[in-house]
Each structure stands twice: as C-alpha cells, then as structure tokens.
C-alpha cells in the first residue's frame, strides 16, 4: 500500500537535527518505508534517518511530501498527517540571533581611546577573565589508527555517556544531546560506516569517510543553519573515535582553574559542555556561526561569545586579563585603567538589571496594594517543570497529561505515569501542581483507542466523556496520581465536566481505585479535586458544584468558543472569537463570584492569562491564580506589581457593562494610558555618595540606571543623545555643578536624575571644571519646551549659594526630591 502526505515546512530553521530527531521517532514506530521528498529541490531522504532528513536541505516554506509504502501505510498516514499538521511545526522555535548590523559603541568607552578587536556578536553579556587557548583534537589524528573494538561497541559507549548527560540536562542542552543521540543511531551513518568496514577500511577510516560524505552533503545546503550542523557530525565522530581507541589516551577534557575567556578556532557542543562553567566567563571563536549548537548553548547558559577573531590576533595576551562584550561585539585585549573602569561599571549595571528582573522571579505575584494572585505555569511534559520554576512559577496551573498518551503505539503504563507525575511534584518542592486527567479524543485522537472520526470534535466524544468506555485507562491514571501524591501538593482537575452527574461518577471511580490500592497494599496520598470550567453550563450551577469539588480552573480558550459558538480554528468565523466580549466577561464574573461565595479557589489556565492588555480585567475579576507559558511569568508579575486591585475591580465592573467589544477595548486603552506614567522625580533616579572616576563613568551610570528602572529601552542611543549635546557646549555650570541634558525620542518616561559624588571629577577644561553634583535631564520630545524651562529654572537657582549648599548636604533621596519639587514648581 502507498500513501502520501503533502505538507509545507513551517520550521523557522528548516529540518535540522533536532526536529529531524522528532520526526524520525514518530516514523520509526511503523514498518513501512517512509521517504521525505523536498519538492523545491527534488531531494529525497529516509524519514527514519536524521541525517537523511537533514540532507534534503528542507527550509522554511518548502513544499514537501512524505511518501509511505508498506503494509501499515494507512495507520502511518493517519498518525503522520495529524503529526505534521499539529505538532511538527512546534518542535523547533525561531532562534534569537543577534542583529548583525553595525553597533554604535558608547562614548563612555570610546572617549578613553581603547584598543578593541571588532568581532561578530553571538551571545550578549560582558566577560572578564584570563585568556586561555583551547587545545583542540583533530579528527585526522585517528587517520592511521587501528582498533580491536567494533563500531557497535564504540557506539554503545558513547550512547551511555550521552544518556547520562541527558539525565542531568534540561532545556536547550537536553534537546541538543537528544539530537546527538539521534545522529548516533542514524541508519545513514551506520550504513556508511558498515559499508566502508566491509570494503576493508579500519573503523577509524570508515568513520572518517562516512563523516566526510555526510558533511559534504550538508555543506551544499543553501542554509547557513544546516551548514553549521557539520560541527555536530564531527562532534559525534570524535566521541566515537576516542571511545574506539582508548590506547591513544586522547581526551577532550580541558581544565579551567580560574575565571577564563576561552579562545578557539571552534568548539563542538560536547567540548563546550565539558568546560567548567563556574570558571568559563566568555568565548572567542574564529569560525562559529550564530546558529551553531555551541553558540545556542552559550546563550542558554548566559556565556558571552563572539566570533571572527583569529587566534593569532590575541596570541600575545594569552594568560593576561581581557574583557569581551558580546552585546557590542568587541574584545578588549589590553585594557587601560579607564577601560577597566568602564567594563567594571558595565558589569555592575548588568548585575543591577538582573537583580531588578530576578525580584519578580523570586517574589510572589502581588498587586501594588498587596492583593496576591498566584502566577503558575502551564506544562505538557516533565522536562518543562524545572525550567518553569526557575522562571518564577508559583505552581503548575495545568499539567497536560495527554501528551503522555499521544504519538505512541500503546498507552503509558502505571509506572511510567507515576514517574512522570512524581518528577513534576518533586520539581515543585511543595508548590501546588494541578494535574489535568487525560483530555484525549475528539480533536486529539489516539490511534490505539480506535475512536470514531467526528465532524465537530470540540463538542464531541472527548475527555471525561470517554472515561467510562476506557475505564481501565482512567483507573490506571488515577492510581498513578494517587501513588505520586505523597511527593508534593497534588491537585487533580477533570476536563470537560458539564454536569453534577459526571463529577459524582468521577468521585466514585476515585473511591474504587483507592479501595484497590488498599487491597494491594500500595501506599498512596490524597489530592484536591477540581474541574476545568470550559462549558458555560457550569456557571449556572456553581452553588451545586461547590458542594462537590475543591477548586475550579477556567479554560478561557474553550469557554470563549463554546459561549460564542465560534470554532477559533475556522478561518471563516475566527474573527468572531474574542474573550473581550462583554458576555464572556459576565460569564467569568459569574464563575468567580459563585466560587468565592462558597469559599472555593478559582484560577484561569487559558492563553488569556498571559495577555498583558487583559491582565487588569483578570485582576479585577478577582481570580486567585493565573497560569501561563513559563516565559511570560516574570513579565506578568512585574506588570501585576504596578496595578491597583481596587482600580482593576472598578475597571472590570465597567467592562461588564459595556455593550460591545470595541467599547471594552477602548476602556482598556484609556486605563492603560492612565497607568503608564512615571514621576519626573523619583528616588530610583537619585544616587548619593557616588564613587565615580570620570565624567564618562558618571554619565554611563545614570543613563544605565534609567534602563534598569524601565525609563528607557535604548540605553546606548540615549547616552549618545547626552554626549551629542555635551559636544555642542559643556553643561558644567561652575561651583561644582553640571546639568547634562537632552530632549530625546529614546526616553520612555521623562526623568530627572541626580548624582552626588564623594569626590569631584573633571567635567571640562575650564578653570572651574570639576563637578561634584550633577542633575541630568532626559525628557521626551512630546514634552514641548519643558526641558528648557526646567534647565533655565535650575540654572537660576544654582546661582544662589544657599540652594547649592542645601543640595550638597541633604541626607536622603526623599529630602532632595521634596526640595527640588518645591523649588522648581514641579
């Protein structure tokens, strides 16, 4: 039998090793031969081979066809057609590649005439350390080596080592290790090596020839991203050759003993992972591209990196202290004391920015007036849990367990599920975890369940509705959750509930499972039971549901489409899908009010929770929790801290009384504008007892502080505006005072910054050119002539000795702000 699936590649980086590894895993479960054909270039490759898939040179928007031939072609077609449409496009993400355009270097650095090596920016950040040259191992070292070890034995050794690393890894590191495991078992690589050995080559010669052929194919690609996968192939080859030739005592181990900047022609991912990241402070690479897996890892671990610098350019500085700035794309090999001061101040400013951001990661979600709202994460698999908590999740608001059941030939057994739930609960370290029971069927068909095709799956046979037919499957999941419950704060949420009869049936099944566990002598714990509120009928009998369950979580996506009778995936009606509909807001109010009247907790786990524009409405609705994708958590907490819950409550009441969506949107815009302003004078912009060594350091610090406080998003550009004004005429006024200023589009919130120094710095070459207190004006261009009024007002006041002395002797930031506000009439 022959079947064919046509699709367009939606992967932003094309089919490279990581997404190819995902596709190969799905195809491998079928006996049929499966071939991917790229219709742009007519390249073909086995879909059961990672390297063959990569070799098709499939790029974003390429038209493709998956050809399936064999006895199980029909079953494979059903699974792969759905997989290619719904999951494959999401198994990779667009890489955040640094802009390759020219960067304007800050005047606070350039005025010191530094010696700099320009380079390509790969990973942002500033690194400081001793320059160390990496000792590389060339594949050619093994060209004449002979081994008594078989290819399978060498491969097994490397596989075990990679699996051990994968156990400890997460995020990008785990993805890349898994991609390497996929290359290692790839049939194209294995066949190439086997054929060379059969022709009489040694194992080393066979590996080198196979790698040479595969790399030649990749280098013909029109995609730089795919060309850079050559390094991954060479990485695996080197690991295989080292494992096959232990007698040569070759190792890629490279020891760092202190803070170091490592320079190398290039580094493989495994060589990078072998470096002690406690001592690794930066990378200088000659050949690396911005999308190499080594660079991706550097970004993931916040290691500054640049490329395009020949090793010889820095040879004289080996063993010496140097700086690199991955954001500016420069290496400073011979820093003067002034240049050292610039970089040290830049590192300090970066640390302050990280500290500012981290306070929202580590703090609980709370409004300005103290109302707490739990900010939790939505996850789909166990590996997402730890990174979510690192990003500030206060719990897991939705663990989509159906991912455990999908893309496989049989259902996960009890132990597999138990281990998955236990892993998430342990990662939570006592924070609540809401485990949603399997939401499968309907729009999420599972091949091994043989569920019927449905014309309207969202309203069909899915979630709790299929549990009675597949009772053993549901019992197994409940058993696994109960067994895992002692390992954390466990909550269980049932999807698609619409009646009291359904939840009572679920509770009966839980009691049956507990009795079975008691009979089997198996230990288990208790969990809170809740339902997902997605069917509008629930809102009308909240009082009855409150007698049956412990909590509620609103699925805003489905609840919106069920309420409005709109399929959000149907292009003809999708424009009607909008959660700002006043009817939806009133439904939301009914659910939250109904739950709270009976002392029940209610959260929201749909996409709406991370919508910045809608957040004030959700706060005003009185929700106890918002759950979202992990990257949105810190941002949401930061925005939440700026909102007043009483104002939000009034806003929500007004929105519920709006007649149209447009009226709600206009209300939100008006509210947003009223929240955006920051005061012109604030303690966050006043720095007392400063230790500056130069005018440059002073301006660098005050402008950098505006970035930390969220008053500018363009620190470098704003600093340039300050220096441009300074170049026209010095802003020093004599008597130890200066007023640097600019009227700029690069300031978001107009600000007055103040710095008082412990010792004066030279501001100009005038006789009275030293400054010990300066007031920096950075005003937005839409402020009219305000900057000149403030400037002239200050200049007049500074003529008077009493005014100057008062500013020089004030003890606190608050005193200084109060004094200036009064004197300048601000």
């Amino acid at each position: 039998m022959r079947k064919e699936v046509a699709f367009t590649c939606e992967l932003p980086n094309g089919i490279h090793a990581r997404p190819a590894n995902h596709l190969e895993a799905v195809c491998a479960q079928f006996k049929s031969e499966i071939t991917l054909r790229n219709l742009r270039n007519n390249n073909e490759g086995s879909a059961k081979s990672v390297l063959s898939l990569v070799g098709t040179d499939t790029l974003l928007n390429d038209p493709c066809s998956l050809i399936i031939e064999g006895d199980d072609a029909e079953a494979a077609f059903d699974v792969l057609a759905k997989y290619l449409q719904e999951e494959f496009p999401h198994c990779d993400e667009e890489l955040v590649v640094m802009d390759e355009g020219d960067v304007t270097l800050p005047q606070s650095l350039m005025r010191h005439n530094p010696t700099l090596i320009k380079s390509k920016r790969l990973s942002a950040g500033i690194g400081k350390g001793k320059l160390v040259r990496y000792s590389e191992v060339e594949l050619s070292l093994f060209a004449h080596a002979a081994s008594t070890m078989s290819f399978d034995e060498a491969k097994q050794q490397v596989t075990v080592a990679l699996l051990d690393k994968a156990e400890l890894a997460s995020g990008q590191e785990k993805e890349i290790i898994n991609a390497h495991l996929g290359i290692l078992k790839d049939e194209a690589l294995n066949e190439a090596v086997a054929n060379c050995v059969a022709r009489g080559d040694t194992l080393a010669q066979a590996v080198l020839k196979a790698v040479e052929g595969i790399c030649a194919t990749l280098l013909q690609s029109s995609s730089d991203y795919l060309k850079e996968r050559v390094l991954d192939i060479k990485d695996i080859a080197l690991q295989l050759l080292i494992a096959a030739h232990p007698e040569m005592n070759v190792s890629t181990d490279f020891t760092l003993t202190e803070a170091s900047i490592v320079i190398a022609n290039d580094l493989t991912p495994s060589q990078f992972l072998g470096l002690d990241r406690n001592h690794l402070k930066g990378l200088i690479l000659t050949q690396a591209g911005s999308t190499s897996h080594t660079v991706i890892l550097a970004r993931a671990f916040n290691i500054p990196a640049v490329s395009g610098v020949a090793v010889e350019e820095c040879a004289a500085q080996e063993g010496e202290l140097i700086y690199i700035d991955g954001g500016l794309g420069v290496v400073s090999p011979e820093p003067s004391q002034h240049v050292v001061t610039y970089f040290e101040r830049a590192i300090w400013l970066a640390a302050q920015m990280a500290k500012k951001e981290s306070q929202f990661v580590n703090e609980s979600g709370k409004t300005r007036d103290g109302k707490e709202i739990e900010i939790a994460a939505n996850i789909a698999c166990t590996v997402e849990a730890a990174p979510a908590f690192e990003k500030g999740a206060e719990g897991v608001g939705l663990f989509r367990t159906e991912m455990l059941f999908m893309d496989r030939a049989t259902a996960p057994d009890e132990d597999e599920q138990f281990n998955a739930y236990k892993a998430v609960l342990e990662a939570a370290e006592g924070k609540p975890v809401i485990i949603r029971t399997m939401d499968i069927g309907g729009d999420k068909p599972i091949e091994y369940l043989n569920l019927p095709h449905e014309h309207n799956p969202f309203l069909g046979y899915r979630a709790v509705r299929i549990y009675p037919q597949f009772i053993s499957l549901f019992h197994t999941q409940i058993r696994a959750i109960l067994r895992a419950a002692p390992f954390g704060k466990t909550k269980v949420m049932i999807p698609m509930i619409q009646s009291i009869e359904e939840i009572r049936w679920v509770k009966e099944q839980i009691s049956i499972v507990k009795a079975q566990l008691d009979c089997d002598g198996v230990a288990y714990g208790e969990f809170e039971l809740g339902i997902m509120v997605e069917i509008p009928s629930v809102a009308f009998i909240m009082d009855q549901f409150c007698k049956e369950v412990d909590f509620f979580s609103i699925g805003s996506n489905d609840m919106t489409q069920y309420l409005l009778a709109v399929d959000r995936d149907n292009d003809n009606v999708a424009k009607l899908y909008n959660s700002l509909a006043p009817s939806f807001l009133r439904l939301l109010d009914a659910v939250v009010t109904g739950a709270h009247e009976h002392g029940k907790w209610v959260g929201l786990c749909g996409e709406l929770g991370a919508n910045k524009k809608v957040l004030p409405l959700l706060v005003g609705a009185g929700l106890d929790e918002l759950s979202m994708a992990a990257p949105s958590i810190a941002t949401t907490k930061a925005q939440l801290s700026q909102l007043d819950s009483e104002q939000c409550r009034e806003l929500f009441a007004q929105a519920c009384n709006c007649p149209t969506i447009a009226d709600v949107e206009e209300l939100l815009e008006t509210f947003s504008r009223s929240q955006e302003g920051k005061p012109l004078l604030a303690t966050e912009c006043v720095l007392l007892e400063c230790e500056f060594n130069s005018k440059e350091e002073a301006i660098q610090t005050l402008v950098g502080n505006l970035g930390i406080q969220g008053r500018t998003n363009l620190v470098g550009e704003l600093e340039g505006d300050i220096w441009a004004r300074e170049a026209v005429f010095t802003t020093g006024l004599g008597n130890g005072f200066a007023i640097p200023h600019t009227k700029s589009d690069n300031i978001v919130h107009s600000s007055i910054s103040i710095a008082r120094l412990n010792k004066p710095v030279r501001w100009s070459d005038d006789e009275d050119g030293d400054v010990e207190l300066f007031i920096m004006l950075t005003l937005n261009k839409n402020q009219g002539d305000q900057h000149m009024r403030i400037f002239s007002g200050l200049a007049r006041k500074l003529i008077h000795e009493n005014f100057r002395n008062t500013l020089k002797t004030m003890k606190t930031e608050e005193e200084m702000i109060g004094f200036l506000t009064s004197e300048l009439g601000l």
Side-chain angles (χ1 to χ4, degrees):
M1 181 180 290
R2 186 180 191 276
K3 301 282 286 186
E4 190 168 340
V5 185
F7 71 100
T8 299
C9 178
E10 298 180 35
L11 299 168
N13 309 300
I15 297 181
H16 58 93
R18 281 179 286 152
N21 191 43
H22 287 279
L23 179 56
E24 181 271 337
V26 178
C27 293
Q29 60 186 306
F30 300 104
K31 295 179 180 179
S32 292
E33 288 188 9
I34 305 176
T35 303
L36 185 140
R37 177 181 295 159
N38 184 329
L39 302 181
R40 172 180 60 85
N41 54 25
N42 290 319
N43 289 346
E44 290 187 354
S46 169
K48 296 183 179 181
S49 162
V50 171
L51 296 176
S52 293
L53 285 168
V54 173
T56 62
D57 189 24
T58 299
L59 310 179
L60 175 66
N61 294 324
D62 277 356
C64 300
S65 181
L66 208 61
I67 301 162
I68 311 165
E69 297 180 285
D71 293 339
D72 59 356
E74 189 163 352
F77 173 85
D78 291 341
V79 170
L80 288 167
K82 180 177 175 60
Y83 173 78
L84 289 169
Q85 179 182 357
E86 297 183 5
E87 295 185 51
F88 192 53
H90 306 295
C91 69
D92 192 29
E93 59 187 21
E94 187 169 3
L95 287 175
V96 180
V97 177
M98 299 188 72
D99 181 12
E100 295 187 13
D102 291 336
V103 176
T104 301
L105 299 179
Q107 283 295 303
S108 50
L109 171 62
M110 299 310 293
R111 285 167 61 89
H112 298 307
N113 299 311
T115 299
L116 299 174
I117 301 173
K118 295 288 186 68
S119 56
K120 181 178 179 180
R121 302 180 301 144
L122 297 178
S123 178
I126 300 172
K128 164 193 174 185
K130 183 177 75 174
L131 183 65
V132 178
R133 182 170 180 172
Y134 190 87
S135 301
E136 299 173 56
V137 179
E138 297 290 341
L139 290 176
S140 58
L141 179 68
F142 298 88
H144 304 292
S147 175
T148 57
M149 188 180 292
S150 71
F151 181 55
D152 285 341
E153 290 172 324
K155 193 167 61 172
Q156 178 63 21
Q157 279 194 27
V158 177
T159 299
V160 170
L162 287 175
L163 287 171
D164 288 343
K165 290 180 181 178
E167 281 291 316
L168 302 174
S170 62
Q172 289 280 16
E173 180 182 0
K174 192 178 188 76
E175 279 284 309
I176 291 170
I177 293 172
N178 285 335
H180 282 196
L181 283 165
I183 293 171
L184 198 58
K185 69 179 182 181
D186 188 83
E187 62 181 32
L189 174 64
N190 285 271
E191 286 179 10
V193 172
N195 290 337
C196 290
V197 170
R199 289 195 295 267
D201 287 331
T202 65
L203 176 56
Q205 290 169 336
V207 170
L208 291 172
K209 286 181 179 179
V211 167
E212 183 180 4
I214 293 166
C215 291
T217 299
L218 289 175
L219 290 171
Q220 292 173 7
S221 171
S222 52
S223 163
D224 289 339
Y225 187 88
L226 295 181
K227 288 177 183 176
E228 287 173 4
R229 303 288 72 77
V230 164
L231 198 61
D232 296 280
I233 308 302
K234 290 183 176 179
D235 192 348
I236 290 298
L238 182 59
Q239 293 178 65
L240 284 169
L241 292 171
I242 290 174
H245 300 87
E247 73 285 350
M248 293 180 65
N249 291 318
V250 176
S251 172
T252 58
D253 290 344
F254 189 80
T255 304
L256 300 177
T257 59
E258 58 186 307
S260 304
I261 307 293
V262 172
I263 185 168
N265 287 322
D266 212 338
L267 282 181
T268 69
S270 64
Q271 288 168 341
F272 173 85
L273 292 172
L275 295 172
D276 184 345
R277 290 190 291 278
N278 290 321
H279 294 314
L280 179 63
K281 302 302 177 183
L283 284 177
I284 304 173
L285 304 171
T286 297
Q287 301 170 0
S290 58
T291 61
S292 83
H293 277 161
T294 301
V295 173
I296 292 170
L297 287 168
R299 292 191 198 113
F301 290 111
N302 299 314
I303 304 295
V306 297
S307 70
V309 179
V311 173
E312 294 72 23
E313 289 184 76
C314 299
Q317 277 70 48
E318 282 189 46
E320 301 295 327
L321 175 73
I322 71 164
Y323 290 87
I324 72 167
D325 190 320
L328 296 178
V330 296
V331 177
S332 177
E334 301 176 89
S336 66
Q337 186 54 53
H338 279 305
V339 172
V340 167
T341 299
Y342 164 82
F343 280 115
E344 291 297 329
R345 179 62 64 174
I347 290 170
W348 179 84
L349 287 167
Q352 299 309 302
M353 177 67 85
K355 182 179 179 181
K356 181 85 172 179
E357 292 176 348
S358 69
Q359 78 181 52
F360 295 108
V361 169
N362 299 320
E363 290 183 1
S364 58
K366 188 183 297 184
T367 62
R368 190 172 66 221
D369 56 331
K371 177 177 171 55
E372 293 190 356
I373 300 176
E374 184 181 307
I375 307 298
N378 296 336
I379 67 171
C381 56
T382 55
V383 296
E384 292 183 71
F389 289 114
E390 289 170 6
K391 289 180 170 67
E394 298 177 69
V396 171
L398 174 62
F399 180 5
R400 300 183 179 95
T401 62
E402 55 269 16
M403 301 307 293
L404 288 167
F405 294 79
M406 299 175 72
D407 298 325
R408 55 192 299 158
T410 59
D413 63 22
E414 183 181 322
D415 283 341
E416 181 181 345
Q417 291 188 61
F418 162 74
N419 288 325
Y421 307 144
K422 175 174 174 282
V424 173
L425 287 163
E426 288 180 331
E429 297 181 340
K431 299 181 180 72
V433 174
I434 299 178
I435 302 172
R436 184 175 71 182
T437 53
M438 50 187 179
D439 185 5
I440 55 180
D443 63 317
K444 302 186 188 84
I446 302 295
E447 183 65 29
Y448 51 83
L449 296 185
N450 295 315
L451 292 168
H453 173 73
E454 298 184 75
H455 293 294
N456 195 342
F458 287 107
L459 299 179
Y461 194 47
R462 55 175 282 209
V464 70
R465 299 173 179 183
I466 74 166
Y467 294 176
Q469 181 181 350
F470 300 98
I471 192 66
S472 63
L473 203 63
F474 181 52
H475 281 186
T476 297
Q477 182 170 38
I478 295 299
R479 280 178 65 97
I481 296 172
L482 283 165
R483 287 176 54 200
F487 294 92
K489 189 174 181 179
T490 312
K491 299 184 176 185
V492 173
M493 178 164 64
I494 312 298
M496 206 66 181
I497 290 285
Q498 59 92 19
S499 70
I500 296 296
E501 290 87 347
E502 285 174 328
I503 195 61
R504 286 178 177 172
W505 178 86
V506 167
K507 292 166 74 174
E508 288 174 6
Q509 303 312 306
I510 294 172
S511 296
I512 291 170
V513 172
K514 287 181 177 179
Q516 291 172 347
L517 289 169
D518 288 333
C519 184
D520 296 339
V522 177
Y524 63 90
E526 297 294 335
F527 54 68
E528 292 183 32
L529 180 65
I531 66 169
M532 193 162 184
V533 182
E534 46 199 330
I535 300 177
S537 62
V538 172
F540 296 96
I541 49 172
M542 284 295 294
D543 56 332
Q544 299 301 321
F545 272 107
C546 287
K547 298 174 184 177
E548 304 289 342
V549 300
D550 301 306
F551 68 92
F552 301 88
S553 186
I554 298 166
S556 60
N557 305 346
D558 278 349
M559 195 164 86
T560 300
Q561 70 175 357
Y562 292 150
L563 176 68
L564 303 179
V566 173
D567 179 356
R568 64 182 186 272
D569 294 326
N570 184 328
D571 292 338
N572 294 320
V573 296
K575 62 181 179 293
L576 301 175
Y577 176 90
N578 194 322
S579 296
L580 290 182
S583 56
F584 175 83
L585 298 178
R586 291 189 182 192
L587 183 66
L588 177 63
D589 184 44
V591 173
V592 176
T593 302
H596 286 174
E597 283 177 352
H598 294 83
K600 301 295 183 179
W601 177 97
V602 57
L604 184 143
C605 60
E607 294 174 8
L608 200 64
N611 189 317
K612 182 178 180 180
K613 180 175 72 172
V614 181
L615 182 61
L617 286 178
L618 302 180
V619 173
L623 288 157
D624 300 296
E625 177 246 34
L626 298 172
S627 188
M628 60 199 64
S632 300
I633 289 172
T635 303
T636 300
K637 286 183 180 180
Q639 186 192 356
L640 187 63
S641 70
Q642 302 300 312
L643 296 174
D644 180 277
S645 65
E646 288 297 327
Q647 292 178 359
C648 291
R649 191 172 292 112
E650 292 173 10
L651 175 73
F652 182 71
Q654 293 171 11
C656 286
N657 287 321
C658 284
T660 69
I661 293 171
D663 290 320
V664 175
E665 290 177 337
E666 184 178 348
L667 188 68
L668 283 174
E669 286 296 330
T670 302
F671 181 83
S672 179
R673 285 194 297 271
S674 72
Q675 300 291 306
E676 285 178 358
K678 282 178 176 279
L680 192 63
L681 271 168
T683 56
E684 65 188 24
C685 296
V686 179
L687 306 179
L688 304 180
E689 313 303 326
C690 298
E691 295 288 346
F692 296 149
N693 297 298
S694 65
K695 173 182 181 178
E696 290 78 14
E697 186 181 3
I699 290 178
Q700 176 193 10
T701 303
L702 279 201
V703 177
N705 183 60
L706 291 174
I708 293 168
Q709 305 305 335
R711 291 171 174 259
T712 178
N713 299 318
L714 299 166
V715 171
E717 289 83 347
L718 182 62
E719 184 186 320
D721 293 337
I722 289 287
W723 283 111
R725 172 61 188 80
E726 201 70 25
V728 175
F729 193 81
T730 180
T731 55
L733 299 180
N735 297 307
F737 283 78
I739 314 178
H741 58 276
T742 184
K743 186 177 180 182
S744 170
D745 284 332
N746 296 315
I747 186 78
V748 178
H749 302 285
S750 293
S751 307
I752 298 177
S753 302
I754 304 167
R756 191 170 68 196
L757 285 59
N758 288 332
K759 60 179 181 180
V761 297
R762 195 69 180 165
W763 198 263
S764 66
D765 294 331
D766 298 339
E767 183 179 344
D768 191 16
D770 288 352
V771 168
E772 58 184 310
L773 193 151
F774 64 94
I775 302 170
M776 185 175 76
L777 312 180
T778 48
L779 305 180
N780 194 281
K781 284 188 176 179
N782 65 12
Q783 299 291 316
D785 63 351
Q786 186 184 27
H787 79 295
M788 287 310 301
R789 287 189 288 106
I790 296 174
F791 180 86
S792 58
L794 268 172
R796 287 194 301 271
K797 291 286 184 181
L798 287 169
I799 294 172
H800 303 289
E801 185 176 1
N802 286 342
F803 183 85
R804 298 196 303 269
N805 288 338
T806 300
L807 288 176
K808 288 179 181 180
T809 57
M810 282 185 160
K811 302 292 186 184
T812 68
E813 294 89 345
E814 290 81 6
E815 282 183 312
M816 191 170 286
I817 287 173
F819 177 69
L820 284 173
T821 299
S822 172
E823 290 291 320
L824 298 176
L826 298 175

